[in-house]
Amino acid sequence: PAVRDLRRLVLRSARLSPAAVGALAASPLANTLRSLDLSTEHGTDPVPALLAGPAWPHLERLSLQTLVPAESLLALVNSGKFPRLV
């Protein structure tokens, strides 16, 4: 129940694997978070895992603490899954 009230999640030093990012994207947090600060394993692009999950209707801020290819950023912005990102 407390997870449903979570609006901001900071995972700066977590170095998440692609599977962990996928699990986060598939979790109920995708529907409630407004801010996500995320780091992944070196060389891991988190965007495909984020796009594979449901929409993030309330997310206004996404900080990716890793190098992300331009194609992935464009796919994220054009996906429609993050309608409130500014």
Side-chain angles (χ1 to χ4, degrees), residues 43-51 62 64 66-80 82 85:
T44 298
D45 179 0
V47 173
L50 292 172
L51 291 177
L62 176 62
L64 301 174
T66 188
L67 294 176
V68 178
E71 301 83 28
S72 289
L73 288 176
L74 287 172
L76 187 139
V77 170
N78 292 323
S79 74
F82 301 87
L85 279 182

PDB file of all heavy atoms in Angstrom, residues 43-51 62 64 66-80 82 85:
ATOM      1  N   GLY A  43      26.974   0.763 -19.726  1.00  0.00           N
ATOM      2  CA  GLY A  43      26.672   0.319 -21.078  1.00  0.00           C
ATOM      3  C   GLY A  43      25.251  -0.172 -21.281  1.00  0.00           C
ATOM      4  O   GLY A  43      24.911  -0.624 -22.364  1.00  0.00           O
ATOM      5  N   THR A  44      24.417  -0.078 -20.253  1.00  0.00           N
ATOM      6  CA  THR A  44      23.038  -0.547 -20.370  1.00  0.00           C
ATOM      7  C   THR A  44      22.117   0.608 -20.727  1.00  0.00           C
ATOM      8  O   THR A  44      22.090   1.623 -20.035  1.00  0.00           O
ATOM      9  CB  THR A  44      22.564  -1.171 -19.029  1.00  0.00           C
ATOM     10  OG1 THR A  44      23.391  -2.287 -18.742  1.00  0.00           O
ATOM     11  CG2 THR A  44      21.119  -1.610 -19.109  1.00  0.00           C
ATOM     12  N   ASP A  45      21.384   0.450 -21.786  1.00  0.00           N
ATOM     13  CA  ASP A  45      20.392   1.436 -22.213  1.00  0.00           C
ATOM     14  C   ASP A  45      19.058   1.062 -21.556  1.00  0.00           C
ATOM     15  O   ASP A  45      18.473   0.027 -21.878  1.00  0.00           O
ATOM     16  CB  ASP A  45      20.269   1.411 -23.732  1.00  0.00           C
ATOM     17  CG  ASP A  45      19.236   2.385 -24.273  1.00  0.00           C
ATOM     18  OD1 ASP A  45      18.590   3.101 -23.475  1.00  0.00           O
ATOM     19  OD2 ASP A  45      19.076   2.430 -25.503  1.00  0.00           O
ATOM     20  N   PRO A  46      18.534   1.882 -20.638  1.00  0.00           N
ATOM     21  CA  PRO A  46      17.299   1.546 -19.940  1.00  0.00           C
ATOM     22  C   PRO A  46      16.027   1.789 -20.752  1.00  0.00           C
ATOM     23  O   PRO A  46      14.964   1.296 -20.396  1.00  0.00           O
ATOM     24  CB  PRO A  46      17.329   2.463 -18.722  1.00  0.00           C
ATOM     25  CG  PRO A  46      18.077   3.665 -19.194  1.00  0.00           C
ATOM     26  CD  PRO A  46      19.108   3.137 -20.149  1.00  0.00           C
ATOM     27  N   VAL A  47      16.133   2.517 -21.839  1.00  0.00           N
ATOM     28  CA  VAL A  47      14.936   2.927 -22.583  1.00  0.00           C
ATOM     29  C   VAL A  47      14.121   1.748 -23.126  1.00  0.00           C
ATOM     30  O   VAL A  47      12.895   1.729 -22.972  1.00  0.00           O
ATOM     31  CB  VAL A  47      15.284   3.956 -23.678  1.00  0.00           C
ATOM     32  CG1 VAL A  47      14.083   4.259 -24.554  1.00  0.00           C
ATOM     33  CG2 VAL A  47      15.809   5.230 -23.028  1.00  0.00           C
ATOM     34  N   PRO A  48      14.726   0.740 -23.751  1.00  0.00           N
ATOM     35  CA  PRO A  48      13.901  -0.372 -24.245  1.00  0.00           C
ATOM     36  C   PRO A  48      13.055  -1.024 -23.146  1.00  0.00           C
ATOM     37  O   PRO A  48      11.882  -1.340 -23.369  1.00  0.00           O
ATOM     38  CB  PRO A  48      14.919  -1.355 -24.823  1.00  0.00           C
ATOM     39  CG  PRO A  48      16.060  -0.492 -25.237  1.00  0.00           C
ATOM     40  CD  PRO A  48      16.122   0.578 -24.168  1.00  0.00           C
ATOM     41  N   ALA A  49      13.621  -1.185 -21.955  1.00  0.00           N
ATOM     42  CA  ALA A  49      12.856  -1.779 -20.851  1.00  0.00           C
ATOM     43  C   ALA A  49      11.740  -0.851 -20.390  1.00  0.00           C
ATOM     44  O   ALA A  49      10.640  -1.303 -20.066  1.00  0.00           O
ATOM     45  CB  ALA A  49      13.783  -2.117 -19.686  1.00  0.00           C
ATOM     46  N   LEU A  50      11.998   0.447 -20.369  1.00  0.00           N
ATOM     47  CA  LEU A  50      10.954   1.403 -19.980  1.00  0.00           C
ATOM     48  C   LEU A  50       9.818   1.417 -20.999  1.00  0.00           C
ATOM     49  O   LEU A  50       8.647   1.504 -20.642  1.00  0.00           O
ATOM     50  CB  LEU A  50      11.545   2.806 -19.832  1.00  0.00           C
ATOM     51  CG  LEU A  50      12.510   3.021 -18.671  1.00  0.00           C
ATOM     52  CD1 LEU A  50      13.153   4.395 -18.772  1.00  0.00           C
ATOM     53  CD2 LEU A  50      11.806   2.853 -17.337  1.00  0.00           C
ATOM     54  N   LEU A  51      10.169   1.314 -22.277  1.00  0.00           N
ATOM     55  CA  LEU A  51       9.150   1.341 -23.327  1.00  0.00           C
ATOM     56  C   LEU A  51       8.368   0.035 -23.418  1.00  0.00           C
ATOM     57  O   LEU A  51       7.240   0.025 -23.906  1.00  0.00           O
ATOM     58  CB  LEU A  51       9.788   1.649 -24.677  1.00  0.00           C
ATOM     59  CG  LEU A  51      10.336   3.060 -24.836  1.00  0.00           C
ATOM     60  CD1 LEU A  51      11.016   3.219 -26.177  1.00  0.00           C
ATOM     61  CD2 LEU A  51       9.261   4.099 -24.630  1.00  0.00           C
ATOM     62  N   LEU A  62      12.333  12.617 -15.577  1.00  0.00           N
ATOM     63  CA  LEU A  62      13.080  11.378 -15.733  1.00  0.00           C
ATOM     64  C   LEU A  62      14.546  11.730 -15.901  1.00  0.00           C
ATOM     65  O   LEU A  62      14.924  12.422 -16.844  1.00  0.00           O
ATOM     66  CB  LEU A  62      12.587  10.592 -16.955  1.00  0.00           C
ATOM     67  CG  LEU A  62      13.344   9.314 -17.294  1.00  0.00           C
ATOM     68  CD1 LEU A  62      13.244   8.294 -16.151  1.00  0.00           C
ATOM     69  CD2 LEU A  62      12.812   8.720 -18.589  1.00  0.00           C
ATOM     70  N   LEU A  64      18.183   9.992 -16.304  1.00  0.00           N
ATOM     71  CA  LEU A  64      18.894   8.749 -16.584  1.00  0.00           C
ATOM     72  C   LEU A  64      20.379   8.992 -16.379  1.00  0.00           C
ATOM     73  O   LEU A  64      20.987   9.755 -17.119  1.00  0.00           O
ATOM     74  CB  LEU A  64      18.614   8.287 -18.014  1.00  0.00           C
ATOM     75  CG  LEU A  64      17.145   8.037 -18.343  1.00  0.00           C
ATOM     76  CD1 LEU A  64      16.973   7.737 -19.819  1.00  0.00           C
ATOM     77  CD2 LEU A  64      16.598   6.906 -17.483  1.00  0.00           C
ATOM     78  N   THR A  66      23.081   7.586 -17.082  1.00  0.00           N
ATOM     79  CA  THR A  66      23.888   6.744 -17.961  1.00  0.00           C
ATOM     80  C   THR A  66      23.847   7.340 -19.360  1.00  0.00           C
ATOM     81  O   THR A  66      22.974   8.154 -19.664  1.00  0.00           O
ATOM     82  CB  THR A  66      23.342   5.293 -17.967  1.00  0.00           C
ATOM     83  OG1 THR A  66      24.237   4.448 -18.667  1.00  0.00           O
ATOM     84  CG2 THR A  66      21.963   5.221 -18.585  1.00  0.00           C
ATOM     85  N   LEU A  67      24.784   6.956 -20.187  1.00  0.00           N
ATOM     86  CA  LEU A  67      24.757   7.414 -21.574  1.00  0.00           C
ATOM     87  C   LEU A  67      23.664   6.667 -22.315  1.00  0.00           C
ATOM     88  O   LEU A  67      23.588   5.446 -22.264  1.00  0.00           O
ATOM     89  CB  LEU A  67      26.109   7.168 -22.235  1.00  0.00           C
ATOM     90  CG  LEU A  67      27.269   7.980 -21.683  1.00  0.00           C
ATOM     91  CD1 LEU A  67      28.568   7.562 -22.361  1.00  0.00           C
ATOM     92  CD2 LEU A  67      27.040   9.460 -21.871  1.00  0.00           C
ATOM     93  N   VAL A  68      22.821   7.406 -22.993  1.00  0.00           N
ATOM     94  CA  VAL A  68      21.700   6.818 -23.729  1.00  0.00           C
ATOM     95  C   VAL A  68      21.827   7.233 -25.195  1.00  0.00           C
ATOM     96  O   VAL A  68      21.981   8.419 -25.487  1.00  0.00           O
ATOM     97  CB  VAL A  68      20.350   7.295 -23.146  1.00  0.00           C
ATOM     98  CG1 VAL A  68      19.187   6.743 -23.933  1.00  0.00           C
ATOM     99  CG2 VAL A  68      20.238   6.908 -21.677  1.00  0.00           C
ATOM    100  N   PRO A  69      21.770   6.272 -26.099  1.00  0.00           N
ATOM    101  CA  PRO A  69      21.858   6.615 -27.524  1.00  0.00           C
ATOM    102  C   PRO A  69      20.732   7.569 -27.949  1.00  0.00           C
ATOM    103  O   PRO A  69      19.610   7.489 -27.442  1.00  0.00           O
ATOM    104  CB  PRO A  69      21.707   5.266 -28.225  1.00  0.00           C
ATOM    105  CG  PRO A  69      22.033   4.236 -27.195  1.00  0.00           C
ATOM    106  CD  PRO A  69      21.636   4.835 -25.881  1.00  0.00           C
ATOM    107  N   ALA A  70      21.053   8.445 -28.876  1.00  0.00           N
ATOM    108  CA  ALA A  70      20.071   9.420 -29.364  1.00  0.00           C
ATOM    109  C   ALA A  70      18.813   8.732 -29.887  1.00  0.00           C
ATOM    110  O   ALA A  70      17.695   9.217 -29.664  1.00  0.00           O
ATOM    111  CB  ALA A  70      20.695  10.284 -30.447  1.00  0.00           C
ATOM    112  N   GLU A  71      18.971   7.592 -30.541  1.00  0.00           N
ATOM    113  CA  GLU A  71      17.808   6.877 -31.079  1.00  0.00           C
ATOM    114  C   GLU A  71      16.861   6.452 -29.953  1.00  0.00           C
ATOM    115  O   GLU A  71      15.641   6.491 -30.100  1.00  0.00           O
ATOM    116  CB  GLU A  71      18.242   5.630 -31.860  1.00  0.00           C
ATOM    117  CG  GLU A  71      19.157   5.900 -33.026  1.00  0.00           C
ATOM    118  CD  GLU A  71      20.620   6.045 -32.615  1.00  0.00           C
ATOM    119  OE1 GLU A  71      21.046   5.458 -31.599  1.00  0.00           O
ATOM    120  OE2 GLU A  71      21.346   6.772 -33.312  1.00  0.00           O
ATOM    121  N   SER A  72      17.426   6.052 -28.837  1.00  0.00           N
ATOM    122  CA  SER A  72      16.607   5.644 -27.692  1.00  0.00           C
ATOM    123  C   SER A  72      15.866   6.830 -27.099  1.00  0.00           C
ATOM    124  O   SER A  72      14.692   6.733 -26.741  1.00  0.00           O
ATOM    125  CB  SER A  72      17.459   4.982 -26.616  1.00  0.00           C
ATOM    126  OG  SER A  72      17.896   3.721 -27.040  1.00  0.00           O
ATOM    127  N   LEU A  73      16.563   7.962 -26.984  1.00  0.00           N
ATOM    128  CA  LEU A  73      15.898   9.159 -26.447  1.00  0.00           C
ATOM    129  C   LEU A  73      14.750   9.595 -27.346  1.00  0.00           C
ATOM    130  O   LEU A  73      13.670   9.954 -26.866  1.00  0.00           O
ATOM    131  CB  LEU A  73      16.904  10.295 -26.276  1.00  0.00           C
ATOM    132  CG  LEU A  73      17.902  10.137 -25.146  1.00  0.00           C
ATOM    133  CD1 LEU A  73      18.902  11.283 -25.154  1.00  0.00           C
ATOM    134  CD2 LEU A  73      17.201  10.048 -23.811  1.00  0.00           C
ATOM    135  N   LEU A  74      14.970   9.546 -28.640  1.00  0.00           N
ATOM    136  CA  LEU A  74      13.899   9.905 -29.576  1.00  0.00           C
ATOM    137  C   LEU A  74      12.728   8.934 -29.472  1.00  0.00           C
ATOM    138  O   LEU A  74      11.569   9.346 -29.499  1.00  0.00           O
ATOM    139  CB  LEU A  74      14.430   9.942 -31.006  1.00  0.00           C
ATOM    140  CG  LEU A  74      15.319  11.130 -31.342  1.00  0.00           C
ATOM    141  CD1 LEU A  74      15.950  10.961 -32.720  1.00  0.00           C
ATOM    142  CD2 LEU A  74      14.549  12.423 -31.251  1.00  0.00           C
ATOM    143  N   ALA A  75      13.016   7.658 -29.332  1.00  0.00           N
ATOM    144  CA  ALA A  75      11.957   6.659 -29.182  1.00  0.00           C
ATOM    145  C   ALA A  75      11.156   6.913 -27.908  1.00  0.00           C
ATOM    146  O   ALA A  75       9.928   6.820 -27.902  1.00  0.00           O
ATOM    147  CB  ALA A  75      12.552   5.252 -29.162  1.00  0.00           C
ATOM    148  N   LEU A  76      11.847   7.277 -26.836  1.00  0.00           N
ATOM    149  CA  LEU A  76      11.171   7.561 -25.568  1.00  0.00           C
ATOM    150  C   LEU A  76      10.247   8.769 -25.706  1.00  0.00           C
ATOM    151  O   LEU A  76       9.079   8.721 -25.343  1.00  0.00           O
ATOM    152  CB  LEU A  76      12.220   7.792 -24.483  1.00  0.00           C
ATOM    153  CG  LEU A  76      11.698   7.924 -23.070  1.00  0.00           C
ATOM    154  CD1 LEU A  76      12.598   7.183 -22.111  1.00  0.00           C
ATOM    155  CD2 LEU A  76      11.638   9.379 -22.673  1.00  0.00           C
ATOM    156  N   VAL A  77      10.782   9.842 -26.256  1.00  0.00           N
ATOM    157  CA  VAL A  77      10.006  11.082 -26.398  1.00  0.00           C
ATOM    158  C   VAL A  77       8.816  10.894 -27.338  1.00  0.00           C
ATOM    159  O   VAL A  77       7.726  11.408 -27.092  1.00  0.00           O
ATOM    160  CB  VAL A  77      10.921  12.225 -26.901  1.00  0.00           C
ATOM    161  CG1 VAL A  77      10.108  13.442 -27.297  1.00  0.00           C
ATOM    162  CG2 VAL A  77      11.941  12.582 -25.832  1.00  0.00           C
ATOM    163  N   ASN A  78       8.993  10.130 -28.393  1.00  0.00           N
ATOM    164  CA  ASN A  78       7.931   9.948 -29.389  1.00  0.00           C
ATOM    165  C   ASN A  78       6.975   8.805 -29.076  1.00  0.00           C
ATOM    166  O   ASN A  78       6.020   8.586 -29.814  1.00  0.00           O
ATOM    167  CB  ASN A  78       8.556   9.726 -30.769  1.00  0.00           C
ATOM    168  CG  ASN A  78       9.254  10.958 -31.280  1.00  0.00           C
ATOM    169  OD1 ASN A  78       8.794  12.072 -31.067  1.00  0.00           O
ATOM    170  ND2 ASN A  78      10.392  10.779 -31.921  1.00  0.00           N
ATOM    171  N   SER A  79       7.203   8.088 -27.994  1.00  0.00           N
ATOM    172  CA  SER A  79       6.411   6.904 -27.706  1.00  0.00           C
ATOM    173  C   SER A  79       4.987   7.182 -27.251  1.00  0.00           C
ATOM    174  O   SER A  79       4.121   6.344 -27.418  1.00  0.00           O
ATOM    175  CB  SER A  79       7.107   6.064 -26.633  1.00  0.00           C
ATOM    176  OG  SER A  79       6.972   6.688 -25.361  1.00  0.00           O
ATOM    177  N   GLY A  80       4.747   8.304 -26.632  1.00  0.00           N
ATOM    178  CA  GLY A  80       3.421   8.575 -26.071  1.00  0.00           C
ATOM    179  C   GLY A  80       3.220   7.935 -24.702  1.00  0.00           C
ATOM    180  O   GLY A  80       2.184   8.125 -24.083  1.00  0.00           O
ATOM    181  N   PHE A  82       4.988   8.642 -22.081  1.00  0.00           N
ATOM    182  CA  PHE A  82       5.420   9.607 -21.065  1.00  0.00           C
ATOM    183  C   PHE A  82       4.808  10.979 -21.395  1.00  0.00           C
ATOM    184  O   PHE A  82       5.528  11.932 -21.677  1.00  0.00           O
ATOM    185  CB  PHE A  82       6.948   9.689 -21.041  1.00  0.00           C
ATOM    186  CG  PHE A  82       7.620   8.378 -20.747  1.00  0.00           C
ATOM    187  CD1 PHE A  82       7.899   7.491 -21.776  1.00  0.00           C
ATOM    188  CD2 PHE A  82       7.954   8.028 -19.463  1.00  0.00           C
ATOM    189  CE1 PHE A  82       8.518   6.280 -21.514  1.00  0.00           C
ATOM    190  CE2 PHE A  82       8.574   6.827 -19.190  1.00  0.00           C
ATOM    191  CZ  PHE A  82       8.846   5.949 -20.214  1.00  0.00           C
ATOM    192  N   LEU A  85       6.182  14.341 -19.456  1.00  0.00           N
ATOM    193  CA  LEU A  85       7.586  14.719 -19.332  1.00  0.00           C
ATOM    194  C   LEU A  85       7.799  16.136 -19.869  1.00  0.00           C
ATOM    195  O   LEU A  85       7.271  16.497 -20.921  1.00  0.00           O
ATOM    196  CB  LEU A  85       8.493  13.765 -20.113  1.00  0.00           C
ATOM    197  CG  LEU A  85       8.847  12.449 -19.448  1.00  0.00           C
ATOM    198  CD1 LEU A  85       9.782  11.651 -20.345  1.00  0.00           C
ATOM    199  CD2 LEU A  85       9.475  12.648 -18.092  1.00  0.00           C
TER     200      LEU A  85
END
